[in-house]
Amino acid sequence: MIKTLEWKNNKLIIVDQTLLPGTIQYIVCNDYRRVNLAIKRLEVRGAPALGAAGAYALVLGLQELINSNKTIAANTLKNKLKLICNEIISTRPTAVNLSWAVELMQQTFIQELSFSNDFPKILAILEKKANSIFAQDIKQNKKIGRNGAAVIPPNAVILTHCNAGALATCGFGTALGVIRQAHFEQKVKMVYVDETRPLLQGARLTAWELQEEKIPVTLITDSMASWVMKTKKVDCIITGADRIAANGDTANKVGTYGLAVLAKQHGIPFYIAAPLNTFDFKLTTGTKIPIEERAPEEITFIADKQVAPLNIKVFNPAFDITPSKYITGIITEHGIIQKPYKQNIKALQTLLKEDV
């Protein structure tokens, strides 16, 4: 399984996902600005992976502030780090894991600063925190995999969209984590993978991950999904998520909403697989989730080849919102949340607070 991220010698090493599957190339990020650029360019992507990348970016930012001014005042350091936090969070507005991780790191910094002005010591604590976020994601993914595999029937035909595998996380995957575990339990007959236009994360990344692990996989275009549901006896659909509102409405890669509607029409269970740090408990519904819009060239060009008229008007939302009424269950590390989502998500949130 390829490493999405690696923290080594005070640098963040990222596999460049824009070059996969043809080329495996790594980017060495010596400062937080290069991590920000990697996030914007989708060289690193996937909600959980973005959270870990954001945490390490903050470590790099603090490292730079301390090394560039050995006599920096605590209050100045705090204010400058806040600006760096805002800059990191602004790189991808939809995926809540990014802001969750960066804000958690910032809270840790403020807490430690209240005890001590030993900046190198605080830096070491933040590095340890970032490593913890990374390691915890892998543990969560494996629990999601085990919980989700329980709902996969024997000899299952599964359909998935975009990439919610090891490449989208710190390892193992969310939706693909479920598929991996189900395959380990010898339950998987075939996985149909949407190519996921415009950036082909399904074709380039998910199909590649599954093929590498010898999990039965068939690639289809996005527009073929409804016919595959009708003719290939699809047993369930599983996708990841970038943000989940308190009522269960879910933001994921554009095209997910359409799959959910089609699944309802065909009587196919539709599951979301995501860790609890993908939930945004402050948002009452999915209508409040910000949707990132990306450059028109992502649609008008494919691999540097122009495929649309010059200067054509383009609408390119990176995500869409699936209303909770279309979702059969949300697979988390704490089990599978089912309807009524608002009450059950609130109950889980209360339980988590009590466990703290």
Side-chain angles (χ1 to χ4, degrees):
M1 199 178 299
I2 196 168
K3 285 185 178 180
T4 310
L5 305 167
E6 185 178 12
W7 178 253
K8 191 174 182 180
N9 299 326
N10 297 319
K11 297 177 179 65
L12 183 62
I13 302 168
I14 296 170
V15 64
D16 187 347
Q17 296 191 36
T18 65
L19 301 179
L20 292 173
T23 303
I24 298 175
Q25 184 171 302
Y26 291 90
I27 300 163
V28 178
C29 301
N30 296 290
D31 58 58
Y32 78 92
R33 297 173 194 83
R34 185 61 186 91
V35 181
N36 286 352
L37 187 60
I39 293 171
K40 288 178 180 178
R41 288 178 173 175
L42 304 184
E43 292 165 341
V44 60
R45 44 146 299 279
L50 291 179
Y56 285 121
L58 196 65
V59 173
L60 289 169
L62 181 59
Q63 184 175 276
E64 180 180 315
L65 290 173
I66 293 171
N67 291 342
S68 63
N69 187 349
K70 302 293 184 183
T71 60
I72 191 170
N75 205 43
T76 303
L77 183 62
K78 179 180 173 181
N79 292 336
K80 285 182 177 292
L81 195 67
K82 173 65 174 174
L83 293 175
I84 291 174
C85 287
N86 293 341
E87 194 177 332
I88 297 168
I89 290 170
S90 70
T91 56
R92 296 296 301 276
T94 302
V96 74
N97 306 64
L98 178 59
S99 58
W100 166 82
V102 172
E103 287 167 3
L104 183 61
M105 294 287 287
Q106 186 183 22
Q107 289 165 12
T108 303
F109 170 77
I110 292 169
Q111 181 180 342
E112 295 301 325
L113 194 62
S114 68
F115 298 139
S116 167
N117 279 358
D118 186 342
F119 300 151
K121 180 182 177 182
I122 294 173
L123 177 61
I125 290 170
L126 258 67
E127 181 181 351
K128 186 177 179 181
K129 188 70 173 179
N131 288 334
S132 174
I133 289 170
F134 179 92
Q136 187 63 27
D137 181 66
I138 296 173
K139 289 179 182 177
Q140 289 169 340
N141 285 190
K142 290 182 177 179
K143 287 180 180 178
I144 289 168
R146 290 192 293 271
N147 291 337
V151 302
I152 304 299
N155 209 31
V157 176
I158 303 169
L159 194 151
T160 192
H161 186 70
C162 196
N163 174 263
L167 290 166
T169 64
C170 298
F172 201 71
T174 53
L176 288 199
V178 173
I179 293 170
R180 277 194 173 89
Q181 182 62 33
H183 175 67
F184 176 75
E185 296 175 16
Q186 299 184 331
K187 287 183 171 184
V188 178
K189 178 182 178 182
M190 181 57 65
V191 182
Y192 285 94
V193 176
D194 280 349
E195 63 175 354
T196 319
R197 279 282 287 144
L199 295 178
L200 305 175
Q201 293 96 327
R204 296 187 303 103
L205 307 178
T206 297
W208 180 66
E209 278 197 53
L210 294 175
Q211 190 176 64
E212 286 289 297
E213 297 196 29
K214 296 181 171 50
I215 297 173
V217 57
T218 299
L219 180 65
I220 61 173
T221 67
D222 297 3
S223 57
M224 295 172 186
S226 58
W227 190 243
V228 168
M229 289 182 208
K230 185 175 178 64
T231 62
K232 299 298 183 181
K233 297 182 179 179
V234 172
D235 293 292
C236 63
I237 298 171
I238 310 171
T239 75
D242 287 82
R243 190 182 300 221
I244 303 172
N247 71 337
D249 293 351
T250 298
N252 193 51
K253 183 56 58 184
V254 68
T256 304
Y257 171 44
L259 284 182
V261 174
L262 289 167
K264 185 80 169 179
Q265 175 66 27
H266 289 86
I268 299 170
F270 181 91
Y271 292 99
I272 296 292
L276 289 180
N277 52 37
T278 303
F279 284 77
D280 190 338
F281 298 111
K282 300 186 297 295
L283 297 187
T284 54
T285 73
T287 60
K288 301 180 185 298
I289 297 175
I291 299 297
E292 174 188 354
E293 291 188 29
R294 295 185 59 83
E297 289 77 16
E298 291 182 350
I299 291 178
T300 57
F301 284 77
I302 297 178
D304 298 325
K305 180 176 177 59
Q306 187 175 329
V307 295
L310 194 64
N311 300 321
I312 190 74
K313 188 175 180 180
V314 171
F315 176 51
N316 185 20
F319 305 92
D320 57 24
I321 308 296
T322 300
S324 60
K325 67 181 181 180
Y326 293 114
I327 299 170
T328 306
I330 303 172
I331 305 165
T332 77
E333 68 271 31
H334 286 269
I336 300 175
I337 305 171
Q338 295 178 315
K339 298 170 184 174
Y341 288 114
K342 188 174 180 181
Q343 293 92 318
N344 289 336
I345 289 172
K346 187 173 183 180
L348 182 57
Q349 184 187 11
T350 302
L351 182 65
L352 292 173
K353 286 179 180 177
E354 291 172 354
D355 288 343
V356 173

